[in-house]
Amino acid sequence: MEEISLNNLPKHIAVIMDGNGRWAKSRGALRIFGHQNGIKAVRETVEACAELGVGYLTLYTFSTENWGRPKMEVDGIMDLLVKTIGDEVPRLHKNNVQLKCIGDMDALPEKARRNMEKGIDTTKNNTGLVLNIALSYSGKWDIIQATRKLASAVKSGEMTPEEIDEEQFSRLLSTYPAPEVDLLIRTGGDHRISNYLLWQSAYAELLFLDVLWPDFRKSHLLDAVRAFQTRDRRFGKTHD
Ligand code: FPP
């Protein structure tokens, strides 16, 4: 922690929590066992970000494409979500964390949606870390839902096509008012973005780790932030 410069923190960290299935398989267990064991990693990541003073943490918890997994796994993840949100909200609230959800909430089972809405309402006035849980989310979904809103605004005459710019578009993305992602971490060894925060990661620093998500600990997050602080971010410009 002492090696981290607090005036160069990533404002927004996004995580693709991959590797739960392989973690379970290597123990001869069902995939859901891996998801259950991913909760400790979520807790440690949230705690580390809150302690450091990171503004926004966005966790890829369930993608639009994940609906295509076997029903048993999907139901297991949804039940786990209901239980975890119920168990964790008091602690999040105590730590001044504001819980939010990005994604197509309407696609969630009623119980998961209601639980999430309750957690969002309980923590809505908190001023610390903003924790975005991406559920039934994909980057393309987000871009399309924003585009639909823009198209409606143009159709109704509220704005002209010429008024559409990056600023206007960003305001309609589900992550608003979070700034763009500074650091995107993917565990599990694969090197891809998997339809995550496509617009928001335009200039994110990417970090791909071999560690499987259930093994991810606070020390990995701190190492990731240290690695981020060694990167030379030019945003397409030069330093001279
Ligand atoms: C990817 O691993 C993981 C998921 C699709 C689910 C992640 C969900 C959790 C860790 C629960 C989190 C809960 C909250 C409240 C944030 P995978 O199944 O694709 O693993 P594999 O690549 O090894 O098959």
Side-chain angles (χ1 to χ4, degrees):
M1 183 86 92
E2 303 82 63
E3 291 165 44
I4 290 176
S5 152
L6 294 180
N7 47 30
N8 181 25
L9 285 176
K11 291 189 185 67
H12 186 174
I13 298 180
V15 187
I16 301 178
M17 309 182 287
D18 198 18
N20 295 348
R22 278 164 286 162
W23 189 93
K25 196 171 170 208
S26 72
R27 285 161 178 77
L30 292 175
R31 296 176 59 82
I32 192 66
F33 185 63
H35 301 314
Q36 288 159 350
N37 278 277
I39 300 299
K40 185 170 167 59
V42 170
R43 206 179 286 131
E44 293 223 359
T45 304
V46 172
E47 271 174 22
C49 287
E51 278 166 27
L52 277 174
V54 168
Y56 299 83
L57 172 66
T58 304
L59 299 177
Y60 208 4
T61 305
F62 196 84
S63 73
T64 309
E65 291 78 15
N66 286 155
W67 291 113
R69 291 190 178 198
K71 184 175 173 348
M72 188 172 85
E73 183 176 355
V74 171
D75 290 350
I77 294 178
M78 291 301 147
D79 288 347
L80 181 62
L81 199 70
V82 170
K83 183 177 173 341
T84 307
I85 297 298
D87 290 349
E88 301 292 328
V89 164
R91 193 202 309 241
L92 294 175
H93 192 36
K94 200 169 118 238
N95 286 293
N96 197 23
V97 174
Q98 188 186 150
L99 179 68
K100 287 191 164 183
C101 185
I102 61 167
D104 184 7
M105 290 267 273
D106 292 340
L108 297 176
E110 177 77 8
K111 199 163 175 204
R113 187 164 48 80
R114 263 196 279 116
N115 236 24
M116 188 53 85
E117 282 168 356
K118 233 168 84 187
I120 292 170
D121 192 57
T122 303
T123 62
K124 65 174 187 281
N125 295 321
N126 290 345
T127 54
L129 174 73
V130 175
L131 171 60
N132 287 320
I133 305 287
L135 283 176
S136 193
Y137 179 86
S138 75
K140 290 183 181 177
W141 169 85
D142 205 358
I143 289 168
I144 285 178
Q145 67 79 27
T147 307
R148 283 195 183 134
K149 287 180 187 152
L150 280 176
S152 298
V154 170
K155 191 176 171 195
S156 68
E158 277 167 70
M159 70 189 299
T160 65
E162 292 69 32
E163 281 169 338
I164 299 174
D165 58 12
E166 290 189 17
E167 165 70 18
Q168 294 294 334
F169 197 85
S170 300
R171 283 170 170 272
L172 295 170
L173 291 170
S174 62
T175 43
Y176 184 80
E180 291 200 0
V181 176
D182 294 305
L183 172 61
L184 172 61
I185 302 169
R186 179 180 187 132
T187 61
D190 287 322
H191 294 193
R192 51 177 174 262
I193 294 181
S194 297
N195 202 1
Y196 196 23
L197 298 156
L198 297 177
W199 172 287
Q200 296 90 330
S201 297
Y203 271 100
E205 294 298 325
L206 309 181
L207 196 63
F208 298 104
L209 304 176
D210 287 333
V211 61
L212 302 177
W213 180 250
D215 293 325
F216 191 85
R217 290 291 169 269
K218 207 175 266 195
S219 60
H220 293 103
L221 192 280
L222 297 179
D223 285 348
V225 171
R226 273 211 303 268
F228 167 82
Q229 295 189 330
T230 66
R231 302 274 179 99
D232 179 24
R233 304 188 81 195
R234 293 187 300 280
F235 298 95
K237 305 184 178 83
T238 63
H239 285 316
D240 359 278

